[in-house]
Amino acid sequence: PYLDGRPLEEDVLRTKFPRTWNYLVTHRSRLEARKTVKTKGVAWWRPAWPREPQNLLRPKIITPHLVISPRFALDAVGRLAVSHSPIVFAKSQDVEQDHLKFILAVLNSSACFWYISQHSHSYQRGYSRLEAKTLGSTRIPNPLRVDPVVLRRLVRLIDERLEAAGVKTFSIESEIDEIVADLYALTAAERRLVGMKDNT
């Protein structure tokens, strides 16, 4: 709903994009019935929760809304435009790739995902609904306070995991899990609680 980085107005949408406008008009009754239109004053034709253009097609971490296990993935070049599911992107684009890989490692870890699943809406068969609010309140170790050697190792492991397939993925994920558990300073008992395998 943006043109040159600015939100479209109804008259511009009608005149410059008549096919889109006609499509919206054919679905007007359904669009007007949306909760955001009735309670939040969103114009009937406007998307309820539009993504800001500057954040839509940039490198980010994406995940489905409903998950049974960690399913965070890296969109390294900003190829995917996500409209409904939560997304995570780095505040600074100067260190974007390394910070995203660090956050990806943490979010996909047993320790972090255990916390996320405990604070998300639960559904049948163990599914959790991930919301931006839940992810926003999830505590992540500060990458600026992580030993640079450990940080580089974690980023390198993520690179390996992105390229790996088959059985090799399990050993890489296990090593990432251990590093992240160390960053959270988890005890052996806490590691078992979050579902990590005992490697002793």
Side-chain angles (χ1 to χ4, degrees), residues 84-101:
H84 288 80
S85 296
I87 60 172
V88 177
F89 51 85
K91 288 182 180 178
S92 169
Q93 296 190 31
D94 298 332
V95 291
E96 195 162 49
Q97 288 293 326
D98 283 354
H99 279 195
L100 283 178
K101 288 175 183 175

Side-chain angles (χ1 to χ4, degrees), residues 27-180:
H27 298 282
R28 183 168 183 159
S29 59
R30 253 179 84 201
L31 293 170
E32 285 180 329
R34 294 177 298 159
K35 186 177 180 180
T36 50
V37 173
K38 291 181 173 182
T39 61
K40 304 219 184 264
V42 173
W44 69 267
W45 56 271
R46 197 178 285 282
W49 309 106
R51 300 283 193 199
E52 296 290 328
Q54 67 270 22
N55 296 331
L56 190 62
L57 296 174
R58 66 179 278 194
K60 58 193 165 293
I61 295 171
I62 59 177
T63 182
H65 247 139
L66 286 176
V67 294
I68 199 165
S69 61
R71 286 291 178 264
F72 295 92
L74 180 64
D75 175 16
V77 295
R79 185 173 59 88
L80 304 172
V82 179
S83 62
H84 288 80
S85 296
I87 60 172
V88 177
F89 51 85
K91 288 182 180 178
S92 169
Q93 296 190 31
D94 298 332
V95 291
E96 195 162 49
Q97 288 293 326
D98 283 354
H99 279 195
L100 283 178
K101 288 175 183 175
F102 172 81
I103 294 168
L104 182 68
V106 173
L107 290 174
N108 277 321
S109 71
S110 298
C112 188
F113 194 76
W114 178 87
Y115 175 87
I116 291 170
S117 63
Q118 297 299 308
H119 293 85
S120 297
H121 290 19
S122 296
Y123 292 85
Q124 290 182 348
R125 299 182 183 174
Y127 281 90
S128 297
R129 181 176 175 86
L130 302 187
E131 300 288 351
K133 183 179 178 183
T134 307
L135 294 177
S137 65
T138 301
R139 297 182 70 90
I140 303 277
N142 186 341
L144 300 177
R145 294 184 181 165
V146 174
D147 182 326
V149 175
V150 174
L151 183 61
R152 282 194 302 273
R153 177 69 184 141
L154 205 47
V155 169
R156 194 164 61 248
L157 282 167
I158 286 295
D159 286 334
E160 288 177 28
R161 176 59 187 89
L162 292 172
E163 297 293 324
V167 178
K168 187 179 179 185
T169 62
F170 296 115
S171 61
I172 297 170
E173 288 172 2
S174 179
E175 193 171 348
I176 292 170
D177 241 12
E178 288 295 333
I179 294 172
V180 174

Side-chain angles (χ1 to χ4, degrees), residues 3-47:
L3 184 63
D4 298 327
R6 295 182 179 175
L8 280 173
E9 296 300 329
E10 184 177 326
D11 59 333
V12 175
L13 182 60
R14 261 197 328 261
T15 55
K16 288 197 171 192
F17 306 98
R19 290 175 64 192
T20 300
W21 180 256
N22 289 336
Y23 174 81
L24 292 169
V25 168
T26 61
H27 298 282
R28 183 168 183 159
S29 59
R30 253 179 84 201
L31 293 170
E32 285 180 329
R34 294 177 298 159
K35 186 177 180 180
T36 50
V37 173
K38 291 181 173 182
T39 61
K40 304 219 184 264
V42 173
W44 69 267
W45 56 271
R46 197 178 285 282

